[in-house]
Amino acid sequence: MNNAQKDKAFIWHPFTQTEGLKILPVIKHGKGALLYDENGKEYIDAISSWWVNIHGHANPYIAKKIALQAKKLEQVIFAGFTHQPAIELAERLVQKLPEGFSKIFFSDNGSTSVEVGIKMAIQYWHNLEKPKTKIIALTNAYHGDTFGAMAVGERGLFNRPFESLFFDVEFIDPTKPDEAKLKFEALAATNQIAAFIYEPLIQGSGGMIFYESQLLNELISISNCHSIICIADEVMTGFYRTGKFLASNHLQLSPDIVCLSKGLTGGFLPMGITTCKGFIFDAFTSTDKFKTFFHGHSYTANPLSCSAALASLDIIEKPNFDMLIKGIEQQHLKFLYLLKKLPQIENPRVLGTILAFEVKNEQNSSYFNNIRDLLYNKFIENGILLRPLGNTVYIMPPYIITKKQLKKVYNIILEVLSSL
Ligand SMILES: Cc1ncc(COP(=O)(O)O)c(C=O)c1O
């Protein structure tokens, strides 16, 4: 076949209806909180490019560190070998994690960090020869797009074609604390539950749903009494998104497994980390080869991703870093005050660097609500990248966003709301 007969390449984008697809902006470069398309149009990235980019686009320090690492070692198999960036990253992360977390397992992204967490929990019980496989998760949860991660997520339109293939999961609704606690207690009492997985305090893709820390403390406490392994999916909430290093740091009780990704590399390169407490690791420490954790990805602990994560930690550990987080939160809180007076919206809320609210409308609040496209397009026209989840509008900016840029985001939101 010669070249003339070949089809034109078509890129199949995620979460994008292919019928009637518009021409997408071609992003040529980024700087700080800004993205620039090929026509020179500027966009404020108010969602940190799917919640990953915490230190700004093309951050020169992180870029330099990756380039230096690329000249030394770009990749090496991580089974049977190790390398300095992974060792240093593990050591430095452990300093920041809650007490008891010292075991670090690398993978490639948020979904795989969750898969690893679920597999660790289930194999833990298998290795102890007390097999249990049932999991408790939260309604409206989102944990990723691989099969295990989908199975513990909300059973909705996104994963309907696959639903018959999912394993057994019990769901409780964190927005109905009394009911949730009762159901959780009853399930825990069956002694059949291997693990409880949750997005701590805020359910991201489910619609930036906030729920009470008291409920989560109680559920973790019940789990501890019944030896249920608690898996905190901190893929979105980690790395100061909610004001503290982990959202779990807002709680009195800590989980047994934590899943990390997104902000981990400052938004430069894909990487996932699943960290667990010693008692879980101990169940895999055996002369019996069948107790090994047989899970590994080609790019596990890629040295370039590790160097990006190390550079990101360097920035996080700078003395004034927490002022950035507090500054965004304070600015959000002032805007919240204003939002509370608007009749077109409801339930405005802030946690750390996240601000969210719902736009009132006749349709239900699902992701497929038409108002979502209308809002998205209006924001884009005005040079703001905001990606509403149905009628839920949220801001989750890079931490280096300037006061002026954030003010512009607020102003455009107000303009768009008043035009509805
Ligand atoms: C809480 C949570 N877990 C897991 C994931 C999946 O991460 P990834 O898209 O990197 O696979 C996401 C992505 O949005 C998330 O918000």
Side-chain angles (χ1 to χ4, degrees):
M1 198 196 285
N2 66 36
N3 272 346
Q5 289 170 312
K6 284 192 178 168
D7 284 341
K8 195 169 178 305
F10 178 84
I11 299 178
W12 195 348
H13 284 263
F15 285 82
T16 307
Q17 203 175 351
T18 45
E19 175 64 35
L21 187 65
K22 290 187 313 179
I23 299 198
L24 302 177
V26 178
I27 299 301
K28 293 270 292 208
H29 64 111
K31 192 169 195 286
L34 296 177
L35 293 166
Y36 299 86
D37 74 13
E38 58 183 351
N39 303 314
K41 180 169 171 169
E42 196 178 284
Y43 305 81
I44 299 177
D45 183 353
I47 55 158
S48 308
S49 278
W50 252 344
W51 320 343
V52 300
N53 183 282
I54 56 176
H55 305 305
H57 290 283
N59 180 293
Y61 179 74
I62 304 178
K64 188 176 103 189
K65 290 289 187 174
I66 296 172
L68 285 174
Q69 182 58 43
K71 289 179 188 163
K72 274 196 243 162
L73 178 69
E74 81 306 337
Q75 162 68 3
V76 62
I77 179 171
F78 207 62
F81 285 99
T82 189
H83 53 77
Q84 195 52 36
I87 296 168
E88 194 186 330
L89 178 57
E91 280 169 359
R92 285 178 63 184
L93 260 184
V94 165
Q95 300 309 311
K96 303 193 93 57
L97 290 168
E99 219 182 293
F101 285 90
S102 61
K103 314 297 177 196
I104 303 288
F105 191 95
F106 290 94
S107 63
D108 317 290
N109 56 62
S111 306
T112 55
S113 75
V114 168
E115 292 288 332
V116 168
I118 295 170
K119 285 177 71 175
M120 270 179 185
I122 289 176
Q123 194 178 334
Y124 167 84
W125 290 112
H126 176 90
N127 284 2
L128 293 189
E129 290 167 23
K130 296 177 191 163
K132 295 185 201 184
T133 53
K134 198 172 258 181
I135 295 184
I136 303 179
L138 302 181
T139 54
N140 279 311
Y142 177 77
H143 295 288
D145 289 343
T146 49
F147 264 88
M150 281 197 291
V152 290
E154 174 72 23
R155 306 287 165 91
L157 287 167
F158 287 157
N159 49 34
R160 186 154 295 160
F162 317 107
E163 210 173 306
S164 62
L165 303 170
F166 295 160
F167 51 75
D168 205 6
V169 176
E170 293 285 348
F171 289 94
I172 59 160
D173 184 349
T175 61
K176 296 183 182 139
D178 294 339
E179 216 177 276
K181 199 178 150 196
L182 278 178
K183 185 169 177 192
F184 197 96
E185 270 168 343
L187 287 166
T190 63
N191 273 332
Q192 305 268 304
I193 308 296
F196 164 44
I197 184 163
Y198 54 90
E199 293 159 90
L201 301 188
I202 171 164
Q203 298 184 281
S205 301
M208 297 298 150
I209 300 166
F210 290 14
Y211 65 95
E212 289 171 17
S213 60
Q214 195 194 331
L215 171 69
L216 197 47
N217 273 317
E218 284 173 357
L219 299 182
I220 298 173
S221 166
I222 302 168
S223 299
N224 290 346
C225 293
H226 290 85
S227 304
I228 295 170
I229 295 173
C230 291
I231 307 174
D233 176 354
E234 297 259 9
V235 167
M236 185 273 272
T237 46
F239 298 93
Y240 295 97
R241 201 33 100 184
T242 67
K244 294 188 189 265
F245 182 65
L246 298 179
S248 294
N249 295 136
H250 293 279
L251 303 169
Q252 280 137 20
L253 297 172
S254 68
D256 305 307
I257 293 178
V258 174
C259 310
L260 298 169
S261 185
K262 295 215 185 257
L264 172 61
T265 63
F268 265 69
L269 289 165
M271 185 157 77
I273 282 183
T274 311
T275 171
C276 69
K277 284 186 174 161
F279 79 93
I280 293 177
F281 180 79
D282 291 347
F284 293 79
T285 309
S286 167
T287 48
D288 179 354
K289 280 195 173 159
F290 292 106
K291 293 197 171 166
T292 306
F293 192 48
F294 289 112
H295 186 110
H297 298 278
S298 315
Y299 284 98
T300 296
N302 171 259
L304 301 181
S305 299
C306 290
S307 70
L310 285 167
S312 174
L313 284 182
D314 290 346
I315 297 172
I316 282 174
E317 284 164 6
K318 282 194 177 151
N320 287 336
F321 175 75
D322 64 334
M323 296 307 289
L324 297 179
I325 308 290
K326 286 196 184 109
I328 293 173
E329 185 169 19
Q330 275 159 14
Q331 226 180 320
H332 275 349
L333 288 171
K334 279 192 199 144
F335 184 52
L336 183 75
Y337 184 72
L338 224 163
L339 283 173
K340 282 185 176 161
K341 296 180 184 158
L342 294 186
Q344 310 91 314
I345 67 132
E346 51 198 353
N347 194 18
R349 52 204 185 271
V350 168
L351 181 63
T353 67
I354 305 169
L355 177 144
F357 61 86
E358 274 74 46
V359 177
K360 286 187 195 160
N361 78 328
E362 252 101 80
Q363 298 176 31
N364 61 29
S365 61
S366 97
Y367 185 87
F368 299 96
N369 192 321
N370 287 340
I371 199 155
R372 186 247 168 229
D373 294 346
L374 184 87
L375 291 167
Y376 177 82
N377 292 335
K378 286 196 179 231
F379 292 137
I380 289 291
E381 270 166 35
N382 283 287
I384 308 290
L385 171 52
L386 281 172
R387 229 173 157 268
L389 299 152
N391 65 330
T392 304
V393 176
Y394 70 91
I395 309 176
M396 208 191 285
Y399 303 152
I400 47 63
I401 193 165
T402 63
K403 277 203 159 77
K404 207 171 146 199
Q405 287 165 338
L406 199 47
K407 209 162 166 227
K408 185 169 171 195
V409 175
Y410 300 152
N411 286 339
I412 299 292
I413 289 178
L414 294 177
E415 260 178 48
V416 169
L417 286 176
S418 66
S419 75
L420 291 178

